[in-house]
Amino acid sequence: MPHRRLAALAAAVVVVVAGLSVRALLPGMVAKYAGDLLYTLLVYALVVVAAPRARPFAVAAVALGVSWLVEFAQLTGVPAALSAHSTPARLVLGTTFNTPDLFWYAVGAAVGYAIHYSVLTTIDRFCRES
């Protein structure tokens, strides 16, 4: 189990680096929506860190739910107010509701699921062959 947590933590670091790189290197909307996808992938990895034995579908559902919750919270104005005073709050909570973000969060959850499921299936197959 500790190896799953370590792998998920390493994945989270890779996702953060990818997110920062995307923002620095890609143009406007491409960077924005890639960032949305990566945001959910980061949440996915952190859920695996917290619950390493959770099934991929459950992890994907939680990651998507958290991402959507944060996006819908932007309708209240609270994240925008917090973001005005804190860069970390702006990065985590965002500022403005944007409907297409919901789609890209779902894509991020699906990508996380596909990777997680593939890794677990490969490990399971390897263990059976050994």
Side-chain angles (χ1 to χ4, degrees):
M1 184 163 59
H3 62 281
R4 286 187 187 181
R5 277 197 169 108
L6 276 172
L9 198 55
V13 170
V14 168
V15 170
V16 168
V17 169
L20 294 172
S21 299
V22 160
R23 286 297 232 188
L25 301 173
L26 296 178
M29 295 309 274
V30 174
K32 184 198 178 333
Y33 294 128
D36 291 343
L37 184 153
L38 291 167
Y39 180 91
T40 302
L41 272 180
L42 176 59
V43 174
Y44 193 107
L46 295 176
V47 171
V48 175
V49 168
R53 291 180 179 251
R55 295 179 182 244
F57 184 80
V59 177
V62 169
L64 181 58
V66 167
S67 298
W68 280 0
L69 179 68
V70 169
E71 189 68 26
F72 282 111
Q74 292 170 358
L75 291 169
T76 68
V78 172
L82 293 171
S83 296
H85 303 291
S86 167
T87 299
R90 184 175 48 80
L91 293 172
V92 173
L93 302 175
T95 58
T96 308
F97 180 81
N98 185 25
T99 304
D101 291 353
L102 301 171
F103 170 77
W104 291 104
Y105 295 143
V107 172
V111 168
Y113 171 86
I115 293 168
H116 192 184
Y117 182 82
S118 296
V119 167
L120 291 179
T121 302
T122 302
I123 290 170
D124 188 47
R125 193 174 328 128
F126 178 77
C127 290
R128 281 192 220 153
E129 291 175 3
S130 296

